[in-house]
Amino acid sequence: ENFFAIWTNAPLIANATDTGSAELSHQFCTWAKDTLAAGLDPAVSSFPSNVYVFDFFHKLADSAGMLAAQYASDEWDSHPNAAATELVAPQFVHEIFDAAIAYENLVGVQERTSQAPGSFRLKQNYPNPFNPQTTIEYRVKEPCMVSLRIYNLQGREVSEPVHFYQQPGVYKIDFNGENIPAGIYFYEVRMRDYYGVKKMIILK
C-alpha cells in the first residue's frame, strides 16, 4: 500500500501579509498537524494512517507566524531560500522515513476480523473517543487462551489487559487510558484461530 506525505503551507514574508492572515495560517497549520492528523477533530474523526503531515510552516515561521527573514529569498519574496532548504530537507527525510517505518509496523494491524463471525467476536469499544475509560467487549465461543493487547500508532504494545484462559461467554473489559498519551490506538484480541483489531481514540 502507498504512503503519502502532505506539507503544510510555508509562512509568508512580513511585507507580503498581515498579522491577522499570519495568525490564521498559524492556527490552520497547527490544527492540521496536532488535531487533524492525530484523528482528534470530531468533524473528521479518523485520519488515514498511511498519510503523514509534515509541518513545513512552523519550521520556517518566526514568533509572529511570518516567514523568518533568514529563510526568505528577499524582503518581498516569500519563496523559501537555500538556507530554508538546508534546514528543512534533512528533517523531511528523517520524519517521512520514521513515519513510513511506523506505518509498515502497522500493516496487518488494521481493523479486521478473521472468518469466524458466528463464533468468537470483538466489538467496537464504547465510548469512543474516550477520556479516560472505555469498555472493550468480546465473545468467547469455547474455552481457550485469550489475549487482548493495546498498540500505539508506532506499532508498540502499550498494555495487555487480558492474557489468560477463559471460559465461553461475553466479556467486558474496562480499559483506563489515564496514563497513556492522547492519540489513536489499536486493540487486538486473539483466541484460537480468531483475531480482531479495532481502532480507538484517547482524548485528554
Side-chain angles (χ1 to χ4, degrees), residues 67-195:
L67 181 63
Q70 67 267 34
Y71 300 131
S73 296
D74 62 51
E75 61 180 336
W76 295 98
D77 189 345
S78 293
H79 289 91
N81 59 18
T85 301
E86 291 179 7
L87 172 72
V88 173
Q91 297 182 47
F92 177 77
V93 171
H94 285 297
E95 288 188 28
I96 296 303
F97 179 80
D98 290 344
I101 293 299
Y103 174 69
E104 284 189 5
N105 291 335
L106 282 175
V107 172
V109 187
Q110 301 295 328
E111 294 191 25
R112 65 192 190 278
T113 302
S114 61
Q115 300 300 315
S119 303
F120 302 95
R121 184 183 182 190
L122 174 65
K123 298 184 70 174
Q124 184 65 52
N125 66 300
Y126 58 91
N128 188 45
F130 65 96
N131 179 25
Q133 186 165 298
T134 190
T135 299
I136 299 173
E137 180 179 330
Y138 58 89
R139 177 187 178 192
V140 179
K141 178 65 175 179
E142 55 190 70
C144 64
M145 178 63 71
V146 178
S147 172
L148 172 63
R149 294 185 173 96
I150 313 295
Y151 296 91
N152 63 19
L153 272 178
Q154 286 70 50
R156 299 189 183 94
E157 181 182 321
V158 298
S159 179
E160 187 178 20
V162 176
H163 185 75
F164 40 79
Y165 198 83
Q166 292 185 314
Q167 297 297 321
V170 175
Y171 292 82
K172 296 181 180 181
I173 305 300
D174 292 328
F175 175 72
N176 193 315
E178 183 176 5
N179 297 321
I180 298 177
I184 299 174
Y185 293 82
F186 294 90
Y187 60 98
E188 174 194 67
V189 69
R190 290 181 178 270
M191 33 192 168
R192 285 196 183 276
D193 296 330
Y194 173 88
Y195 63 84

Side-chain angles (χ1 to χ4, degrees), residues 30-53 111 128-130 153 182-186 199-204:
T30 300
W31 165 82
K33 180 65 176 177
D34 298 338
T35 303
L36 176 66
L40 300 178
D41 189 307
V44 180
S45 187
S46 62
F47 189 77
S49 55
N50 64 329
V51 179
Y52 181 77
V53 176
E111 294 191 25
N128 188 45
F130 65 96
L153 272 178
I184 299 174
Y185 293 82
F186 294 90
K199 181 169 61 178
M200 63 183 182
I201 300 173
I202 300 177
L203 302 177
K204 296 292 183 178

